[in-house]
Amino acid sequence: GKPAMFRPFKPEPAEVPDAADVPGLPRILLIGDSISIGYTLPVREQLAGRANVHRPDENCGPTVYGLERLADWIGSGKWTVIHFNFGLHDLKFLDAQGNYVTPSQGWQVASPEEYERNLRELVKRLKRTGAKLIFATTTPVPAGAQGRLAGSEQRYNKIAVQVMRENGVAIDDLQAYVLSRLAEIQLPQNVHFTPAGYQELAKVVATSIRAALNP
């Protein structure tokens, strides 16, 4: 089992400036890790005049951290749409201090079973907001990415899609989109994207949000 001192996540600020709400426009909350941090500003630009786009002022990390922080992220305001993802920080391997390691040298933050359990609880809590929910599938883990096994997002996405279908949550299939143009938009041996790649992801995200606003 994992050591008692195991730290699944070290808080990291998002460093994305917030924007004041334009009165009368729907409010959108983006929840996710550094991938979603990368597409937040371009999504805001693409939905300018159509919606107020916000995100927590931090990297939302793995599901276990999401359960701890979700009430703060939701706050007391009303959300029309919540677009969320958890995955890349659940499937990674860390040592007891929370540093990235090769799988044989550490522990996985959340096993597939733990991921499913946590995700079900997060969806239950998100549904209480009354917002329309969209789950973004986890983008691909390429070979050589630190602390992660290549392709491991597939198993986690399969679980997530099942949970979302059971709960009537819309799916924004970012994984499928990225797989179609991996070499052009993802950094080599890295789960992150080029600036142009984040712009492209933002288009997919904005499209899924527009669909939720105009059913």
Side-chain angles (χ1 to χ4, degrees):
K2 292 169 200 168
M5 295 298 291
F6 183 72
R7 290 185 67 189
F9 190 65
K10 298 172 181 173
E12 299 169 11
E15 293 172 1
V16 174
D18 203 18
D21 277 339
V22 175
L25 293 184
R27 299 177 76 240
I28 315 296
L29 181 62
L30 303 180
I31 291 175
D33 55 31
S34 56
I35 308 300
S36 85
I37 292 170
Y39 58 64
T40 296
L41 290 177
V43 166
R44 186 180 290 161
E45 283 160 22
Q46 290 178 38
L47 294 176
R50 182 77 191 78
N52 296 305
V53 176
H54 299 277
R55 68 158 296 112
D57 192 23
E58 61 178 325
N59 182 323
C60 302
T63 52
V64 65
Y65 189 68
L67 289 170
E68 206 180 292
R69 300 285 299 134
L70 190 66
D72 283 333
W73 297 340
I74 291 168
S76 55
K78 180 157 171 40
W79 299 104
T80 310
V81 177
I82 300 176
H83 180 285
F84 67 107
N85 165 268
F86 293 94
L88 286 175
H89 286 275
D90 286 87
L91 54 78
K92 69 184 179 181
F93 290 82
L94 303 175
D95 65 14
Q97 287 72 50
N99 302 308
Y100 286 74
V101 288
T102 56
S104 60
Q105 293 176 304
W107 295 269
Q108 197 166 31
V109 170
S111 67
E113 296 71 25
E114 290 169 316
Y115 177 68
E116 179 173 355
R117 196 166 59 236
N118 293 346
L119 204 52
R120 285 187 183 281
E121 179 59 29
L122 283 161
V123 169
K124 199 163 94 183
R125 295 186 197 176
L126 284 164
K127 284 177 98 164
R128 288 183 202 141
T129 65
K132 287 190 176 170
L133 305 180
I134 305 170
F135 178 80
T137 55
T138 298
T139 48
V141 177
Q146 203 185 13
R148 296 177 173 98
L149 285 170
S152 53
E153 83 286 346
Q154 292 171 24
R155 186 171 179 194
Y156 283 68
N157 278 332
K158 206 172 168 184
I159 291 166
V161 165
Q162 180 65 33
V163 170
M164 300 312 147
R165 288 202 174 127
E166 285 175 25
N167 283 280
V169 174
I171 292 166
D172 180 10
D173 200 352
L174 292 184
Q175 184 208 18
Y177 179 79
V178 171
L179 279 176
S180 71
R181 41 195 307 105
L182 210 56
E184 299 158 64
I185 65 173
Q186 195 172 42
L187 299 173
Q189 302 187 338
N190 195 311
V191 295
H192 298 102
F193 295 86
T194 64
Y198 284 118
Q199 290 284 344
E200 290 206 26
L201 287 177
K203 280 183 197 156
V204 183
V205 172
T207 299
S208 74
I209 292 168
R210 279 193 205 97
L213 293 173
N214 305 317

